[in-house]
Short mmCIF file of all heavy atoms in Angstrom, two decimals:
data_model
loop_
_atom_site.label_atom_id
_atom_site.label_comp_id
_atom_site.label_asym_id
_atom_site.label_seq_id
_atom_site.Cartn_x
_atom_site.Cartn_y
_atom_site.Cartn_z
N GLY A 962 138.66 4.88 93.16
CA GLY A 962 138.84 5.30 94.55
C GLY A 962 140.29 5.34 94.99
O GLY A 962 140.61 5.94 96.02
N THR A 963 141.18 4.71 94.21
CA THR A 963 142.60 4.75 94.57
C THR A 963 143.13 6.18 94.56
O THR A 963 144.12 6.49 95.21
CB THR A 963 143.42 3.86 93.62
OG1 THR A 963 144.74 3.69 94.15
CG2 THR A 963 143.53 4.47 92.23
N LYS A 965 141.23 8.75 95.50
CA LYS A 965 140.39 9.52 96.41
C LYS A 965 141.20 10.00 97.61
O LYS A 965 141.71 9.20 98.38
CB LYS A 965 139.21 8.65 96.88
CG LYS A 965 138.23 9.36 97.80
CD LYS A 965 137.14 8.39 98.23
CE LYS A 965 136.17 9.02 99.22
NZ LYS A 965 135.15 8.06 99.68
N VAL A 967 142.11 11.58 101.33
CA VAL A 967 141.49 11.55 102.65
C VAL A 967 141.16 12.99 103.02
O VAL A 967 142.06 13.81 103.21
CB VAL A 967 142.42 10.92 103.70
CG1 VAL A 967 141.74 10.91 105.07
CG2 VAL A 967 142.82 9.50 103.28
N ILE A 972 141.34 9.56 110.08
CA ILE A 972 141.05 8.61 109.01
C ILE A 972 139.78 7.80 109.28
O ILE A 972 139.28 7.13 108.39
CB ILE A 972 142.24 7.69 108.72
CG1 ILE A 972 142.55 6.76 109.91
CG2 ILE A 972 143.46 8.50 108.34
CD1 ILE A 972 143.58 5.70 109.57
N ALA A 973 139.24 7.90 110.49
CA ALA A 973 137.96 7.24 110.79
C ALA A 973 136.86 7.74 109.86
O ALA A 973 135.90 7.02 109.58
CB ALA A 973 137.57 7.48 112.24
N GLY A 974 136.99 8.97 109.37
CA GLY A 974 135.97 9.56 108.51
C GLY A 974 136.12 9.20 107.05
O GLY A 974 135.33 9.66 106.22
N HIS A 975 137.13 8.40 106.72
CA HIS A 975 137.39 8.06 105.32
C HIS A 975 136.86 6.65 105.02
O HIS A 975 137.17 5.70 105.74
CB HIS A 975 138.89 8.09 105.03
CG HIS A 975 139.24 7.79 103.60
ND1 HIS A 975 139.10 8.71 102.60
CD2 HIS A 975 139.71 6.65 103.01
CE1 HIS A 975 139.48 8.17 101.45
NE2 HIS A 975 139.85 6.91 101.67
N THR A 976 136.06 6.54 103.98
CA THR A 976 135.53 5.24 103.57
C THR A 976 136.36 4.70 102.41
O THR A 976 136.45 5.33 101.36
CB THR A 976 134.06 5.35 103.13
OG1 THR A 976 133.29 5.85 104.23
CG2 THR A 976 133.51 4.00 102.71
N MET A 977 136.98 3.55 102.65
CA MET A 977 137.76 2.91 101.58
C MET A 977 136.84 2.34 100.51
O MET A 977 135.74 1.86 100.79
CB MET A 977 138.62 1.79 102.16
CG MET A 977 139.81 2.27 102.97
SD MET A 977 141.06 3.10 101.96
CE MET A 977 141.77 1.70 101.08
N HIS A 978 137.29 2.40 99.27
CA HIS A 978 136.57 1.83 98.16
C HIS A 978 136.77 0.31 98.15
O HIS A 978 137.83 -0.19 98.49
CB HIS A 978 137.08 2.42 96.84
CG HIS A 978 138.57 2.34 96.69
ND1 HIS A 978 139.44 3.09 97.47
CD2 HIS A 978 139.36 1.61 95.87
CE1 HIS A 978 140.69 2.81 97.13
NE2 HIS A 978 140.67 1.91 96.18
N ALA A 979 135.74 -0.41 97.76
CA ALA A 979 135.86 -1.87 97.64
C ALA A 979 136.48 -2.21 96.29
O ALA A 979 136.20 -1.56 95.29
CB ALA A 979 134.48 -2.51 97.76
N GLU A 980 137.34 -3.22 96.29
CA GLU A 980 137.98 -3.67 95.05
C GLU A 980 137.89 -5.19 94.96
O GLU A 980 138.00 -5.89 95.96
CB GLU A 980 139.44 -3.22 95.01
CG GLU A 980 139.59 -1.70 94.91
CD GLU A 980 141.02 -1.23 95.05
OE1 GLU A 980 141.67 -1.63 96.02
OE2 GLU A 980 141.48 -0.46 94.19
N ARG A 1008 147.54 -5.13 99.20
CA ARG A 1008 146.18 -5.19 99.74
C ARG A 1008 145.53 -6.55 99.47
O ARG A 1008 144.79 -7.06 100.31
CB ARG A 1008 145.33 -4.05 99.14
CG ARG A 1008 145.80 -2.67 99.57
CD ARG A 1008 144.69 -1.64 99.49
NE ARG A 1008 144.14 -1.48 98.16
CZ ARG A 1008 144.68 -0.74 97.20
NH1 ARG A 1008 145.81 -0.11 97.40
NH2 ARG A 1008 144.09 -0.63 96.02
N HIS A 1032 134.01 -10.91 102.03
CA HIS A 1032 134.44 -9.53 101.83
C HIS A 1032 135.19 -9.05 103.07
O HIS A 1032 134.73 -9.24 104.20
CB HIS A 1032 133.23 -8.64 101.57
CG HIS A 1032 133.54 -7.18 101.63
ND1 HIS A 1032 134.17 -6.49 100.61
CD2 HIS A 1032 133.33 -6.25 102.62
CE1 HIS A 1032 134.32 -5.23 100.96
NE2 HIS A 1032 133.82 -5.06 102.17
N VAL A 1033 136.36 -8.45 102.88
CA VAL A 1033 137.16 -7.97 104.01
C VAL A 1033 136.77 -6.52 104.33
O VAL A 1033 137.04 -5.62 103.54
CB VAL A 1033 138.66 -8.05 103.71
CG1 VAL A 1033 139.47 -7.55 104.90
CG2 VAL A 1033 139.06 -9.49 103.35
N PRO A 1034 136.13 -6.26 105.47
CA PRO A 1034 135.73 -4.90 105.83
C PRO A 1034 136.94 -4.01 106.13
O PRO A 1034 138.02 -4.50 106.48
CB PRO A 1034 134.86 -5.09 107.08
CG PRO A 1034 134.49 -6.54 107.09
CD PRO A 1034 135.63 -7.25 106.45
N GLN A 1035 136.71 -2.74 106.03
CA GLN A 1035 137.79 -1.75 106.17
C GLN A 1035 138.57 -1.88 107.47
O GLN A 1035 139.79 -1.86 107.49
CB GLN A 1035 137.18 -0.35 106.07
CG GLN A 1035 138.17 0.79 106.29
CD GLN A 1035 137.60 2.13 105.88
OE1 GLN A 1035 136.72 2.21 105.03
NE2 GLN A 1035 138.09 3.21 106.48
N TRP A 1036 137.86 -2.04 108.59
CA TRP A 1036 138.51 -1.98 109.90
C TRP A 1036 138.74 -3.34 110.54
O TRP A 1036 139.20 -3.42 111.68
CB TRP A 1036 137.69 -1.09 110.84
CG TRP A 1036 137.57 0.31 110.36
CD1 TRP A 1036 136.46 0.91 109.83
CD2 TRP A 1036 138.61 1.29 110.29
NE1 TRP A 1036 136.74 2.20 109.46
CE2 TRP A 1036 138.06 2.47 109.74
CE3 TRP A 1036 139.97 1.30 110.66
CZ2 TRP A 1036 138.79 3.63 109.54
CZ3 TRP A 1036 140.71 2.45 110.46
CH2 TRP A 1036 140.13 3.59 109.91
N THR A 1074 137.69 -6.62 98.78
CA THR A 1074 138.32 -6.10 99.99
C THR A 1074 138.17 -4.59 100.08
O THR A 1074 138.18 -3.89 99.07
CB THR A 1074 139.81 -6.48 100.04
OG1 THR A 1074 140.38 -5.99 101.27
CG2 THR A 1074 140.59 -5.89 98.87
N GLN A 1075 138.00 -4.15 101.31
CA GLN A 1075 137.99 -2.71 101.62
C GLN A 1075 139.09 -2.38 102.62
O GLN A 1075 139.06 -1.32 103.23
CB GLN A 1075 136.63 -2.32 102.22
CG GLN A 1075 135.71 -1.59 101.26
CD GLN A 1075 134.41 -1.20 101.95
OE1 GLN A 1075 133.68 -2.06 102.44
NE2 GLN A 1075 134.12 0.08 102.00
N ILE A 1076 140.04 -3.26 102.75
CA ILE A 1076 141.05 -3.14 103.80
C ILE A 1076 141.77 -1.79 103.72
O ILE A 1076 142.12 -1.31 102.66
CB ILE A 1076 142.07 -4.30 103.68
CG1 ILE A 1076 142.94 -4.39 104.93
CG2 ILE A 1076 142.92 -4.19 102.42
CD1 ILE A 1076 143.79 -5.67 104.98
N ILE A 1077 141.96 -1.17 104.89
CA ILE A 1077 142.79 0.02 104.99
C ILE A 1077 144.00 -0.37 105.83
O ILE A 1077 143.87 -0.92 106.93
CB ILE A 1077 142.04 1.22 105.61
CG1 ILE A 1077 142.95 2.47 105.60
CG2 ILE A 1077 141.52 0.94 107.01
CD1 ILE A 1077 142.20 3.76 105.94
N ILE A 1078 145.19 -0.15 105.27
CA ILE A 1078 146.43 -0.50 105.96
C ILE A 1078 147.09 0.80 106.39
O ILE A 1078 147.47 1.63 105.57
CB ILE A 1078 147.36 -1.32 105.05
CG1 ILE A 1078 146.66 -2.63 104.68
CG2 ILE A 1078 148.69 -1.58 105.73
CD1 ILE A 1078 147.46 -3.52 103.73
N SER A 1099 147.50 10.49 101.50
CA SER A 1099 146.79 9.42 100.81
C SER A 1099 146.82 8.14 101.64
O SER A 1099 147.69 7.95 102.49
CB SER A 1099 147.44 9.16 99.44
OG SER A 1099 148.76 8.66 99.60
N THR A 1100 145.86 7.25 101.38
CA THR A 1100 145.85 5.97 102.08
C THR A 1100 147.06 5.13 101.69
O THR A 1100 147.51 4.28 102.47
CB THR A 1100 144.56 5.19 101.77
OG1 THR A 1100 144.43 5.00 100.36
CG2 THR A 1100 143.35 5.95 102.29
N LEU A 1101 147.61 5.35 100.50
CA LEU A 1101 148.79 4.58 100.08
C LEU A 1101 150.02 5.00 100.88
O LEU A 1101 150.89 4.17 101.20
CB LEU A 1101 149.04 4.76 98.59
CG LEU A 1101 147.89 4.32 97.69
CD1 LEU A 1101 148.26 4.46 96.22
CD2 LEU A 1101 147.47 2.89 97.99
N LEU A 1103 149.82 5.99 103.96
CA LEU A 1103 149.57 5.34 105.25
C LEU A 1103 150.06 3.90 105.21
O LEU A 1103 150.65 3.40 106.17
CB LEU A 1103 148.08 5.37 105.58
CG LEU A 1103 147.44 6.73 105.88
CD1 LEU A 1103 145.93 6.56 106.01
CD2 LEU A 1103 148.02 7.35 107.14
N LEU A 1104 149.81 3.21 104.10
CA LEU A 1104 150.24 1.83 103.94
C LEU A 1104 151.76 1.73 104.03
O LEU A 1104 152.30 0.85 104.71
CB LEU A 1104 149.74 1.29 102.60
CG LEU A 1104 150.04 -0.15 102.20
CD1 LEU A 1104 148.96 -0.69 101.26
CD2 LEU A 1104 151.40 -0.29 101.52
#
Side-chain angles (χ1 to χ4, degrees):
T963 192
K965 182 181 177 182
V967 180
I972 66 171
H975 182 78
T976 301
M977 287 292 288
H978 51 292
E980 293 173 308
R1008 294 204 300 279
H1032 168 78
V1033 180
Q1035 176 167 334
W1036 299 107
T1074 182
Q1075 257 182 300
I1076 193 170
I1077 184 169
I1078 298 178
S1099 65
T1100 57
L1101 301 184
L1103 292 173
L1104 181 153

